[in-house]
Amino acid sequence: MQRGRVGRGRRVGYGAGALAVLLAASGCSSGPAPADPRAVPVKPVAAASPATTPGAAPGSATPGTPAQDAVPDAAWAKWGLQPLPKAPAPPADRPIKLTRTGTVPVFSEVPTTDKVVFITIDDGAEKDPQFVEMLTELKVPITMFLTEDIVKNDYAYFKPLQALGNSIQNHTVSHPVMSRLPADRQKSQICDDQAALTEHYGTAPYLFRPPYGDGADSAALNAAVQECGPRAVVLWRESMQIHDMQYQAADKKLRNGDIILAHFRGPSELKGETMTRMFAELLSRIQEQGFAVARLDDYVAAPTG
């Protein structure tokens, strides 16, 4: 399948049959992740657009710091891991440039020559204290796309992760299939999540991810995203299951700038595995292919125009 670049590539629409496959495939739900989902089609973009990224990464406490440089080998070993390659310094010229107004871009990867990938984690269903401990020790950057109805029973859980420099982004209020909602309800799903996350975490999300990746290229969703504040729609190239990733590329290999999807999941959805074990497996797959993990915010420029 063709890789989606910002402002380049072919659009993929969804009919009813394709949507059924997409819902089964994405694993992006509040229920158990399917054991063998298929890859979700990528939706390349229209025009480059806005974002709420300040000169430093929005929501990032330590803009551009390759914190893993300070992680001792013993910390990796504690979690059954080999050290990841060191992430390079963030680029001075950030490859994704967003604007303050106009059509919101959709991207599933970052155009970069750096041998890095980006980890995004969705919804917030599992709130495992050991995962906070793991990220505190390993300094692996993530981007969180949170769903209000799923996180509102424990907003505080995500604050230590945010304090590590991991930004919190918009993933709707109740995780619906967006294309099945009228325009006004799409807007309320995004705007209400935007308001709740801004209130509880002190920073307005500047990225949006539609549940299941559904409707990312639709005019109605794009208009709703623009009205509610996020300035880009983020999809993915790979999705982490339990022990391995599902790839959209036929050769099942990571490429520079790929965005990886994972979920806050626990033993009931991971066939007995913990969130930390799943995340360790994800890091192992990345390490085996020689990639570093970079912070997505460090590759996204502040909005202009």
Side-chain angles (χ1 to χ4, degrees), residues 221-274:
L221 187 137
N222 203 288
V225 173
Q226 292 180 58
E227 290 184 57
C228 295
R231 297 308 306 162
V233 174
V234 181
L235 299 179
W236 60 91
R237 291 297 305 169
E238 294 81 26
S239 60
M240 185 62 191
Q241 304 308 310
I242 300 175
H243 299 290
D244 205 353
M245 285 186 282
Q246 292 291 322
Y247 295 82
Q248 294 183 24
D251 61 4
K252 297 186 177 182
K253 291 182 180 178
L254 295 170
R255 288 173 171 77
N256 294 353
D258 277 2
I259 294 171
I260 300 170
L261 165 68
H263 292 86
F264 286 93
R265 291 288 183 265
S268 63
E269 295 122 345
L270 298 177
K271 298 184 177 181
E273 293 286 14
T274 62

Side-chain angles (χ1 to χ4, degrees), residues 58-231:
S60 175
T62 52
T65 312
Q68 288 172 31
D69 289 357
V71 178
D73 288 355
W76 296 102
K78 171 183 172 178
W79 300 100
L81 293 164
Q82 295 293 319
L84 284 173
K86 305 296 185 185
D93 182 15
R94 299 185 183 191
I96 293 184
K97 296 175 174 61
L98 304 172
T99 59
R100 296 185 187 280
T101 60
T103 304
V104 176
V106 182
F107 64 91
S108 55
E109 59 192 32
V110 173
T112 179
T113 57
D114 293 344
K115 195 169 184 180
V116 298
V117 294
F118 306 94
I119 297 175
T120 63
I121 309 184
D122 281 11
D123 64 49
E126 178 70 7
K127 303 171 181 69
D128 183 352
Q130 282 202 309
F131 183 64
V132 177
E133 178 184 346
M134 184 183 200
L135 284 202
T136 301
E137 294 179 358
L138 299 184
K139 315 297 183 190
V140 175
I142 62 172
T143 302
M144 296 174 280
F145 288 85
L146 300 185
T147 300
E148 185 193 5
D149 281 357
I150 296 175
V151 304
K152 66 184 180 182
N153 64 340
D154 191 0
Y155 285 115
Y157 172 81
F158 302 94
K159 291 184 178 181
L161 295 172
Q162 182 189 31
L164 294 172
N166 301 310
S167 66
I168 290 174
Q169 308 296 347
N170 191 317
H171 196 42
T172 74
V173 170
S174 62
H175 210 278
V177 179
M178 295 294 276
S179 67
R180 294 179 179 171
L181 301 181
D184 62 332
R185 289 183 59 199
Q186 291 192 42
K187 181 179 175 181
S188 66
Q189 280 285 333
I190 301 170
C191 286
D192 291 354
D193 196 49
Q194 188 82 355
L197 297 179
T198 302
E199 176 185 354
H200 287 278
Y201 299 110
T203 303
Y206 75 107
L207 302 174
F208 172 72
R209 173 171 283 160
Y212 319 103
D214 174 61
D217 275 329
S218 71
L221 187 137
N222 203 288
V225 173
Q226 292 180 58
E227 290 184 57
C228 295
R231 297 308 306 162

